Amino acid sequence: MSVNGQRIELECEFIEKTDRGLQCEFSNISTTQFSEVIVSEKNTSIDAVSFRQSDLYSVPVSLFEKFPKLKHIDVEFTSLKELRIYDFINANSLKYFLARFNDITSLSSNVFTLCPLLKFIVLQWNKISSIDSNAFNGLISLEALYLDHNQIKILPPGLLFPLVNLVHFSLAYNNITNVPENLFMTNEKLETLNFGRNLLIAFDGKHFDSLHNLERVQLNHNKLKILNLRTCKSSEINVDKNDLESLELNKWTRFLSAWGNPIKFLTLHEHYGIGRNYNFSFEHVSEITFFVNEHCCTIENLEKFEILIHNFGDLSQKTFNVSEWTCQFRKKNLGYQTPNGTVVDDVCVKTTLIDEPNIDSSRDSRFNDDLEDGYSILVQSTNKPGRNIVNSEDLIDSDETTKPRE
């Protein structure tokens, strides 16, 4: 590096072959808001650039002019203060932008619009508190966006609209209190979603309507009182350490961690069968509702539900018998027809968790004679499940580190 007033000329300290390709490394670079930073020699073979022990105000604009095939830039731990749209002039080949552990405070409109091939943005551990609704315009190739460990409070409603190929999105460890209803409207390819350790109070089911490929959701350590997972197709869900009293799961959920919630009401949709793992305490659970298909309340399905129950932490210590359940179909011209009658809602309800086996429901005084929504409902008793916990391990690591791949 040579310095002439505010003009700084950069020279590669050394060039080496890495898994990123041919990489140029700069070290001991210090710039200010007024510095003119110039790369001294053009090299069309450089694939990656990294800075070590440097203090940068912004991304050196001439990097992409002198290294026209640059795909990967690493400016982590450089005290980077600002990202400006003109810093990325000629960044036509850039795919990976790593800028963790810096001092960036905001993302302005169209800041990455000159990077049409950008696939991977990592801005974790910055000081970002403001994001313009058009900050990600033009990023139709972006697959991963990591904004963990910042100071973000508000997400503009249209923020993710341009990111039609987004697969991984993480905003853990921020101060977000609300997620706009239409935030994920165009993100059908999203597979992992992480809002862990924020201040969310509610997460509506409409957030999941367009997320048909979702595999993992992390909403742990928030303040959730309302959570609608009815349309969530994710097979893995972590909602540890919230304030949920009611939990509703659908047939897609196979792994759930919900420790630290005072869950009283559990609803399952077509959840019979084996191969599921639910980790949370049933200490406060007083009611389980089991929605099934048109064969509701057949002995076969209830026996399948018994198999499922044995995978349920505390409930595996309980004795369940199909005679404890009662379901009657409405004999009206509503809903669809089944061999057992006409169904309006497919539901079997059990409102007490007990230890006594082989209960004859036809003679049990706990059953009402009246039908509620077409079914006999088991009256709630004071009995509660045991406190035994089989597995308290988290299913999903909310601090998972993801590394970029070529």
Side-chain angles (χ1 to χ4, degrees), residues 307-342:
I307 294 174
L308 175 63
I309 287 297
H310 290 300
N311 293 321
F312 269 162
D314 294 354
L315 287 186
S316 65
Q317 309 300 315
K318 296 295 165 185
T319 301
F320 286 84
N321 188 288
V322 294
S323 63
E324 297 175 21
W325 295 76
T326 181
C327 294
Q328 296 181 10
F329 298 121
R330 283 183 178 178
K331 307 299 182 182
K332 297 179 181 179
N333 294 322
L334 297 173
Y336 54 85
Q337 298 292 325
T338 77
N340 298 314
T342 303

Side-chain angles (χ1 to χ4, degrees), residues 133-149:
S133 60
N134 296 312
F136 303 124
N137 277 1
L139 296 182
I140 60 173
S141 299
L142 196 71
E143 296 178 5
L145 176 59
Y146 294 93
L147 294 166
D148 312 79
H149 294 273

Side-chain angles (χ1 to χ4, degrees), residues 259 277-282 308-318 388-391:
W259 294 108
N277 193 336
Y278 304 127
N279 289 336
F280 60 93
S281 173
F282 276 75
L308 175 63
I309 287 297
H310 290 300
N311 293 321
F312 269 162
D314 294 354
L315 287 186
S316 65
Q317 309 300 315
K318 296 295 165 185
N388 299 314
I389 298 175
V390 174
N391 184 2

Side-chain angles (χ1 to χ4, degrees), residues 265 286-287 351-352 366 378-382:
F265 308 102
S286 61
E287 178 177 306
T351 52
T352 183
R366 293 173 300 160
L378 189 59
V379 179
Q380 184 171 346
S381 77
T382 58

Side-chain angles (χ1 to χ4, degrees), residues 64 70-73 83 88 91-99 110-123 135-145 162-166:
F64 305 103
L70 188 62
K71 302 182 188 70
H72 193 131
I73 182 169
L83 296 179
F88 296 97
N92 301 317
S93 300
L94 187 64
K95 293 184 178 181
Y96 301 93
F97 182 69
L98 308 184
N110 297 306
V111 63
F112 296 109
T113 195
L114 299 178
C115 311
L117 299 183
L118 199 55
K119 296 174 61 176
F120 202 99
I121 296 177
V122 180
L123 291 168
F136 303 124
N137 277 1
L139 296 182
I140 60 173
S141 299
L142 196 71
E143 296 178 5
L145 176 59
L163 311 184
V164 294
N165 286 299
L166 190 65

Side-chain angles (χ1 to χ4, degrees), residues 187-238:
N187 310 124
E188 295 182 1
K189 295 183 179 180
L190 196 67
E191 295 180 4
T192 65
L193 175 63
N194 188 353
F195 273 96
R197 296 184 183 272
N198 276 277
L199 302 173
L200 295 176
I201 297 175
F203 204 86
D204 191 82
K206 293 182 179 179
H207 292 123
F208 298 111
D209 286 350
S210 60
L211 303 181
H212 308 302
N213 295 293
L214 202 58
E215 296 179 359
R216 176 179 292 185
V217 175
Q218 294 175 237
L219 295 168
N220 54 292
H221 293 81
N222 277 275
K223 298 181 181 297
L224 290 173
K225 294 181 180 293
I226 300 173
L227 175 63
N228 188 341
L229 296 172
R230 185 68 184 92
T231 59
C232 179
K233 292 182 171 61
S234 175
S235 61
E236 298 184 16
I237 300 173
N238 186 336

Side-chain angles (χ1 to χ4, degrees), residues 115-178:
C115 311
L117 299 183
L118 199 55
K119 296 174 61 176
F120 202 99
I121 296 177
V122 180
L123 291 168
Q124 297 163 316
W125 284 280
N126 273 276
K127 299 176 181 178
I128 299 171
S129 60
S130 172
I131 305 179
D132 188 273
S133 60
N134 296 312
F136 303 124
N137 277 1
L139 296 182
I140 60 173
S141 299
L142 196 71
E143 296 178 5
L145 176 59
Y146 294 93
L147 294 166
D148 312 79
H149 294 273
N150 277 285
Q151 301 167 16
I152 302 168
K153 294 182 179 180
I154 298 175
L155 297 174
L159 181 66
L160 303 183
F161 281 4
L163 311 184
V164 294
N165 286 299
L166 190 65
V167 178
H168 306 288
F169 181 50
S170 186
L171 272 162
Y173 292 89
N174 277 281
N175 300 311
I176 300 167
T177 57
N178 178 62

Side-chain angles (χ1 to χ4, degrees), residues 297-310:
C297 297
T298 64
I299 296 296
E300 179 184 1
N301 279 343
L302 290 178
E303 287 176 347
K304 288 180 180 179
F305 182 58
E306 287 188 277
I307 294 174
L308 175 63
I309 287 297
H310 290 300

